[in-house]
Amino acid sequence: MLDWVWGFVGGLMIGGAAAVYLLFNGRIMGASGIIGELVDRTGWGNWAERLAFLAGLIGVPYLLSLLIGGETHLTSNWLVIVLAGLLVGIGTRLANGCTSGHGVCGISRLSLRGIVATLIYLLAGGLTIALLRQVIGVI
Amino acid sequence: MMRRYGLAVLSGGLFGAGLRISGMTDTIKVQNWLDVFGTWDPTLAFVLGGAILPMAVAWRVAARLERSYLGLALPAAPSRDLDRNLIAGSILFGMGWALAGLCPGPALASISFGGIGGLVFLLAMLGGMVAAPALRVRLDGAAPAARPRSKMDIRALTPTYAVSPQIELSDLPAIKAAGFTTVIDNRPDGEIPAHLHTPHMKAAAEALGLTFVANPVIGGALTMENVRLQSKVMADATGPVFAYCASGNRCSVVWALMNAGHRSTDDLIRTPAKYGYNLEPLRGQIEAFAAESGAGID
């Protein structure tokens, strides 16, 4: 099947997951917030719910990978991996959201912060890729 | 409540499966989506579109609910503050996302098959998350974010009791900083916007270490129980008490009645009058209370 069809189907599942988390657990499904507030201790009040979410988030793709495999094609450049991880960690916590919190949950709610954050990280990402691939010729 | 945790596993699992099936755990697909001038891959637009559809419906459903289907509090209305943290953070996140092609959700979802590289990315990301709060404070200090327009005005009737018109969640740190230890909400939830209802205010106040008590006074239908509860909260408080309602008027009336007999009726009417609260029509009632109780709490 075409990539975009899989993309759309996967997207519906992501949105469905966010809908369950909102309508039942009463919470916004933001990956960076769920784990970030465990790491900085601000979310210890409901740690069990966060760990349960993370168990599903890590466990189900593991089971799927046994059936259909999985390959991330991540760069093998350690410097790039560490730098990217740090930037994603710091950036999502400063902005209080990532692709799921600001992107999926924010835009669908027409939240000004969600829409602005998404436009900015898409623009920053696009410029970074253009610079690295087209101008400098790395990655 | 086990269902809460079961549904969290279900939600996380569905999220993870969706990320894997949509191709978002493949860093090359993500980088190609961002590569508008090169090998552009539009898949991510379909993923985002597909995810927004059910969520847009869910938000509409949630807007009609008082609480979630499990009886839990729903998220507060979103802030509209476009502060420096949001902008700087989004720029840094976009750069990191482009560099490796991973954002937090897929980084977690692919940890079982992402090899040592995926693990190193996750550890670096967690390290960044630990460092973020210190950076956030510095940015806040550089540019105090514009607060949403609030009606809060701390009007001290005594050194230990102040009244105010309706406050916002964002006012609580200032109330804490002003030295108050207890906040009383004298307004029934029915007349307040949903994001300022008791559960939200209570959670935010308690997160700051403030005691929060809801003592709803129905306009024009104040009860003895209202007066008794307000007195008890005052007696139990370890420091100054901050009470709010729509204008601060009801908080002043309750205060006058609970102090009836303890302070002169003239004083009980004159003090709120400094802030424009007219208790003159209640003079008879205050005097009746004074005759009955004798002693009140300041």
Side-chain angles (χ1 to χ4, degrees), chain A residues 111-135:
Chain A
S111 149
L112 182 65
R113 279 172 62 89
I115 292 167
V116 169
T118 304
L119 289 176
I120 292 175
Y121 65 67
L122 284 178
L123 192 66
L127 288 174
T128 304
I129 282 283
L131 187 73
L132 294 174
R133 278 193 179 166
Q134 313 294 332
V135 181

Side-chain angles (χ1 to χ4, degrees), chain B residues 116-142:
Chain B
I116 187 84
L119 193 63
V120 170
F121 178 90
L122 185 67
L123 290 175
M125 182 180 93
L126 295 179
M129 288 177 163
V130 172
L135 292 164
R136 189 188 301 147
V137 172
R138 208 165 294 170
L139 277 171
D140 275 345

Side-chain angles (χ1 to χ4, degrees), chain B residues 45-255:
Chain B
F46 288 94
V47 180
L48 196 57
I52 286 173
L53 280 177
M55 240 346 240
V57 176
W59 279 120
R60 286 181 167 258
V61 173
R64 288 197 213 101
L65 299 175
E66 275 286 312
R67 303 183 77 80
S68 83
Y69 291 138
L70 294 183
L72 298 162
L74 287 164
S79 155
R80 296 181 61 83
D81 266 1
L82 300 179
D83 55 272
R84 285 190 184 189
N85 280 315
L86 181 81
I87 292 161
S90 297
I91 292 172
L92 296 179
F93 166 46
M95 291 167 65
W97 191 35
L99 268 177
L102 280 176
C103 52
L108 288 160
S110 66
I111 200 66
S112 62
F113 53 83
I116 187 84
L119 193 63
V120 170
F121 178 90
L122 185 67
L123 290 175
M125 182 180 93
L126 295 179
M129 288 177 163
V130 172
L135 292 164
R136 189 188 301 147
V137 172
R138 208 165 294 170
L139 277 171
D140 275 345
R147 297 248 165 258
R149 203 170 295 163
S150 165
K151 296 192 191 82
M152 183 176 80
D153 185 20
I154 301 176
R155 298 167 181 169
L157 299 186
T158 73
T160 57
Y161 186 82
V163 304
S164 167
Q166 177 69 46
I167 60 169
E168 296 286 329
L169 286 163
S170 55
D171 289 326
L172 288 165
I175 293 168
K176 165 94 177 164
F180 294 97
T181 60
T182 302
V183 176
I184 303 177
D185 172 10
N186 283 132
R187 226 179 157 191
D189 273 353
E191 58 177 86
I192 313 178
H195 72 285
L196 298 175
H197 281 184
T198 301
H200 302 307
M201 289 303 250
K202 190 173 171 68
E206 287 175 355
L208 292 168
L210 291 161
T211 303
F212 184 92
V213 180
N215 182 16
V217 175
I218 295 163
L222 181 132
T223 65
M224 267 311 292
E225 191 42 47
N226 287 138
V227 179
R228 238 181 264 129
L229 178 57
Q230 202 98 345
S231 294
K232 183 179 176 331
V233 174
M234 284 293 293
D236 292 346
T238 53
V241 173
F242 177 98
Y244 69 90
C245 56
S247 68
N249 188 60
R250 275 171 272 180
C251 311
S252 302
V253 171
V254 180
W255 171 82

Side-chain angles (χ1 to χ4, degrees), chain B residues 2-16:
Chain B
M2 285 313 292
R3 277 199 301 169
R4 179 176 176 187
Y5 304 117
L7 283 157
V9 175
L10 175 79
S11 171
L14 195 56
F15 182 34

